[in-house]
Amino acid sequence: MVLALLLGCCGRIVYGQEADYQWNDTIQIEASRLGQRVDQMGRSVTVIDRAQIRQLPVRSLDELLRFLPGVEVQARGAFGTQADLSMRGGTFNQTLVLMDGMRINDPLTGHFHTYLPVTLEEIERIEVIRGPSSAQYGPDAVGGVINIVTRTFAAQAEAGPAARVQAQAGQHGLLLGEAGASLPLGPVRFGASARYAASDGHPLPGGERADFDIRTGSAALAWDFAGKWNLALRSGWDQRLFQAQRFYTLSPLDQAREQTSRWWNQARLLRRESNRETRLDLSFLSSQDSFLFNPAVAANVHQTGMFNANLHHLEVLSPRFSLAGGLQASRRSIESSDRGNHQDDHAAAYVLAQANLAEGLHLTGSLRADQDRNYGLEFCPQLNVSYQAGAVLLRGGAGRSIRAADYTERFVSTNLAGPVTSGRNLGNPDLLAERSWSYEAGGDWRITPALQASATLFHRQGRNLIDYVLTSYEDIPRQGNLSPGATYLFASNLAALNLTGLEARLSGRHTAGQLTAAWDLGYTWLMPDTAGGVVSKYLSNTARHQLTARGMLSHRIGSLGIQGLYRERDEASAAAIGADLTPRFMVWHVQAQVWVWKKSVSLQGQVFNVLNEQYADLLGAQMPGRWWTLGLAWQWAGRNR
């Protein structure tokens, strides 16, 4: 019934005559490291460009990803306050997020992965690569990879100067403002953006309000010189203050507030010729976090740093064979009041190869070795194949992936004076690295020039999976600051998790006169099997069934965007705080835009959670009901100089 509702709604949006539809196999994926197109990778890939982002009812990265097939976003607050990203049934730490190809996962915790130091205005496109990817990108790429490609770092240059400013206001004292500009001056391109989002917050069951204050800004430049060289630089920051009650605990004493800031610096030196490319990427991430659980106790304060260096070379040896390889080094560090002070070094080497064996047949192999102070030496191989015959593209692959525990999983609460109260998360310094083997097979089918379908069946065999498990005092090795007889959510290596899943997608694009409609339907099914029936904190939150719908209707007078989500998961409750996690919910968001002056000024209106659904992605973190916003947007594009 739900699938019929989604098909019916989107069917009405896109009804019209068919026209030529460019299949996304012609898109070159920057994160592939081999300069591959989608049809050559043997992977399930989704690309969202800047034009699509502007037409959809989204104001943050997590809202955009929330409605993509194969991606599960578990949000704790509105308008991008905080959210966990999950792909193919993994935990939030099993998804790797890249910024222009460089790792931006926070070493403190995966809860911070969506704290991007760029705005949506600065994003050229988002590449979502599903499935194991540790053989290409290193640890944490278990469920998949999300690569954020920014406008200044993108391979293609801007056609001319451009600027865009938008401002919105809405319920609960909401104020939203975002501005972005790009300026090409001969061989040099400049880009900058800023965002402000603040609200008194939607009301919560206990009488509090989920207020937030988020500020983001970045600046970048790219310089083409000496014919073959390119230098790109970026600096960005993100700062946020928000109510964090029930974000991490189910304690009745939880009155949490949190303040975070991130500073990101990135440099890329690139030399490109007709048949080869060499690049050196450097990045540094600095994060500060202050978490106040209750005004009666001192806040936990953390400062983390992560430096990354990656040297990569690609050689196109012939039209049929390409070879790439690289070296990577990184250092992670933390200074924390409750986790202590720690530092870890990491080094890796990798090689990738692509062979075009015959017309339409592509084989991609990769092998990576990672040496980490935390988990030692690990090897990750991977093989993917694709074959295109007319309107059908078949693909499959197998690969090994790894993930090491972050600083929170290893050390949370271990540095407190104690006695630590019952029910708290407790780190485990003896955690082993997760190891998984994944297999997948699928295909894409161009049913008509305007209609495309795809499906992927996948299976993952995981060992030593890390999650928090309710554990008694007697079963915890280090008891120095614990309370006898208490129980804790102790970070543990689960014996095994075998997971089978299916992703399906149906999308189309239609044109009738001046009216263009694009739509996308997705379905994800997951069947996890945890050895021994262990009940863990985050793995148990994964949805068993998820349906997503997106539709975009464009006309010369404006546009209409709609997104829908239906999810089924395990039911849960917390009697101590009177919270319930319903086994299913459905949410719809809508955005309308009307041009009021040429193609420069538009009036925008959005309604989030149109049906006023009362729901939570995570137990205790109540999401808002219906929420409307109104605003204006101005954009300008000048001629190339």
Side-chain angles (χ1 to χ4, degrees):
M1 182 174 111
V2 173
L3 182 58
L5 176 61
L6 292 175
L7 287 168
C9 290
C10 285
R12 287 191 291 273
I13 292 172
V14 304
Y15 181 79
Q17 296 179 354
E18 294 179 353
D20 289 340
Y21 178 59
Q22 186 178 17
W23 203 24
N24 66 2
D25 61 359
T26 60
I27 300 173
Q28 185 166 316
I29 303 301
E30 292 199 12
S32 71
R33 289 189 164 174
L34 280 166
Q36 293 174 296
R37 302 192 313 265
V38 173
D39 64 314
Q40 300 172 337
M41 295 179 64
R43 311 290 299 270
S44 174
V45 179
T46 298
V47 178
I48 304 176
D49 61 28
R50 191 193 329 164
Q52 292 174 303
I53 294 173
R54 288 180 176 176
Q55 291 181 351
L56 290 170
V58 298
R59 283 296 172 261
S60 63
L61 174 68
D62 60 275
E63 291 173 353
L64 178 65
L65 298 175
R66 186 177 182 85
F67 299 91
L68 288 184
V71 179
E72 183 176 347
V73 175
Q74 298 175 343
R76 291 179 172 83
F79 296 91
T81 302
Q82 189 182 97
D84 294 341
L85 303 179
S86 172
M87 297 176 68
R88 293 194 169 178
T91 66
F92 58 92
N93 277 324
Q94 293 177 332
T95 299
L96 179 61
V97 182
L98 306 175
M99 177 79 75
D100 291 311
M102 291 296 283
R103 167 186 299 264
I104 201 169
N105 284 30
D106 199 288
L108 177 66
T109 172
H111 296 315
F112 295 172
H113 289 352
T114 57
Y115 294 176
L116 288 182
V118 297
T119 73
L120 291 180
E121 273 300 314
E122 188 123 2
I123 295 176
E124 178 65 26
R125 68 177 182 274
I126 298 175
E127 302 169 346
V128 180
I129 305 173
R130 301 173 183 85
S133 303
S134 286
Q136 295 87 20
Y137 311 106
D140 308 329
V142 179
V145 173
I146 297 169
N147 184 40
I148 312 297
V149 182
T150 63
R151 296 171 65 175
T152 310
F153 274 62
Q156 67 275 20
E158 295 283 349
R164 192 168 190 266
V165 179
Q166 58 180 335
Q168 295 187 356
Q171 289 175 281
H172 311 307
L174 176 69
L175 292 175
L176 285 171
E178 189 165 343
S182 59
L183 178 63
L185 295 174
V188 181
R189 306 191 304 273
F190 296 92
S193 69
R195 176 181 185 257
Y196 173 74
S199 168
D200 299 334
H202 61 280
L204 298 175
E208 297 83 2
R209 301 189 73 91
D211 64 282
F212 58 86
D213 186 307
I214 304 172
R215 308 176 187 205
T216 306
S218 70
L221 68 85
W223 175 32
D224 297 315
F225 63 98
K228 300 175 182 179
W229 291 86
N230 173 269
L231 174 66
L233 304 172
R234 171 179 301 284
S235 184
W237 57 273
D238 179 273
Q239 180 178 308
R240 51 190 69 202
L241 173 66
F242 51 91
Q243 190 266 19
Q245 187 179 34
R246 314 284 190 250
F247 275 24
Y248 314 112
T249 80
L250 299 175
S251 169
L253 302 177
D254 189 342
Q255 300 178 30
R257 293 192 64 80
E258 190 162 10
Q259 183 171 0
T260 69
S261 63
R262 303 182 92 194
W263 185 36
W264 171 259
N265 292 284
Q266 184 174 356
R268 180 187 68 192
L269 181 62
L270 170 67
R271 177 182 170 88
R272 179 175 289 153
E273 300 180 59
S274 59
N275 62 342
R276 62 177 56 90
E277 176 182 295
T278 303
R279 58 189 293 173
L280 173 64
D281 288 278
L282 304 172
S283 67
F284 178 73
L285 173 68
S286 176
S287 299
Q288 293 82 37
D289 175 66
S290 176
F291 178 76
L292 181 65
F293 173 75
N294 187 292
V297 297
N300 290 333
V301 180
H302 327 285
Q303 179 165 338
T304 58
M306 181 176 67
F307 170 77
N308 260 307
N310 196 99
L311 179 63
H312 178 80
H313 181 74
L314 166 65
E315 194 83 20
V316 181
L317 301 175
S318 73
R320 290 185 172 272
F321 190 76
S322 299
L323 185 66
L327 300 171
Q328 182 181 348
S330 66
R331 167 166 289 184
R332 306 180 302 276
S333 63
I334 183 174
E335 296 179 4
S336 169
S337 58
D338 81 315
R339 292 155 174 80
N341 301 339
H342 309 277
Q343 182 175 287
D344 298 283
D345 294 317
H346 180 95
Y350 60 88
V351 61
L352 306 93
Q354 175 191 319
N356 303 322
L357 302 178
E359 184 66 28
L361 180 61
H362 307 279
L363 188 68
T364 303
S366 51
L367 176 65
R368 181 177 170 113
D370 286 271
Q371 173 65 42
D372 192 279
R373 181 180 177 183
N374 184 20
Y375 55 80
L377 181 64
E378 293 283 348
F379 291 93
C380 289
Q382 186 159 335
L383 186 66
N384 289 89
V385 61
S386 68
Y387 177 68
Q388 185 172 347
V392 176
L393 174 67
L394 301 177
R395 45 185 168 74
R400 186 176 188 265
S401 54
I402 58 173
R403 184 184 83 81
D406 60 32
Y407 283 130
T408 295
E409 292 167 323
R410 292 164 63 190
F411 301 114
V412 63
S413 303
T414 59
N415 201 51
L416 294 176
V420 177
T421 56
S422 181
R424 292 193 63 163
N425 289 0
L426 182 65
N428 181 359
D430 300 323
L431 288 170
L432 304 174
E434 296 181 352
R435 301 172 176 88
S436 301
W437 278 96
S438 299
Y439 314 90
E440 65 179 86
D444 305 288
W445 176 29
R446 271 190 266 192
I447 304 171
T448 72
L451 189 64
Q452 179 180 334
S454 66
T456 306
L457 183 67
F458 56 90
H459 179 74
R460 183 166 69 245
Q461 297 174 338
R463 300 294 181 269
N464 299 331
L465 295 187
I466 301 168
D467 204 352
Y468 295 93
V469 179
L470 197 62
T471 307
S472 63
Y473 167 87
E474 293 77 13
D475 297 326
I476 298 174
R478 294 176 175 83
Q479 302 170 336
N481 63 345
L482 306 184
S483 299
T487 57
Y488 300 91
L489 285 166
F490 185 53
S492 306
N493 287 112
L494 305 184
L497 172 68
N498 296 326
L499 183 141
T500 302
L502 172 69
E503 296 165 349
R505 182 184 179 192
L506 184 66
S507 59
R509 183 181 180 88
H510 310 264
T511 301
Q514 296 182 345
L515 190 65
T516 300
W519 57 275
D520 185 289
L521 291 173
Y523 170 68
T524 304
W525 166 76
L526 297 173
M527 185 177 67
D529 178 18
T530 306
V534 176
V535 178
S536 60
K537 181 174 182 178
Y538 291 109
L539 286 173
S540 60
N541 287 330
T542 303
R544 303 298 183 258
H545 300 275
Q546 179 169 288
L547 289 159
T548 58
R550 292 186 298 150
M552 292 170 288
L553 193 65
S554 302
H555 191 269
R556 62 179 179 82
I557 64 172
S559 64
L560 176 69
I562 182 171
Q563 296 195 128
L565 170 70
Y566 172 81
R567 186 178 292 170
E568 286 188 10
R569 69 279 176 90
D570 291 343
E571 189 175 9
S573 62
I577 60 172
D580 295 297
L581 195 68
T582 57
R584 59 186 62 86
F585 67 86
M586 179 186 291
V587 179
W588 291 91
H589 300 337
V590 176
Q591 171 177 287
Q593 176 178 256
V594 178
W595 295 106
V596 295
W597 187 65
K598 299 181 179 181
K599 285 282 187 177
S600 296
V601 180
S602 63
L603 176 64
Q604 296 179 337
Q606 295 180 332
V607 182
F608 297 90
N609 194 357
V610 176
L611 303 179
N612 200 31
E613 182 85 357
Q614 302 302 303
Y615 74 102
D617 286 335
L618 294 159
L619 181 61
Q622 184 69 28
M623 292 295 288
R626 186 183 299 112
W627 197 329
W628 59 263
T629 70
L630 288 173
L632 289 171
W634 169 81
Q635 63 186 38
W636 170 81
R639 295 180 180 178
N640 195 12
R641 299 184 179 181

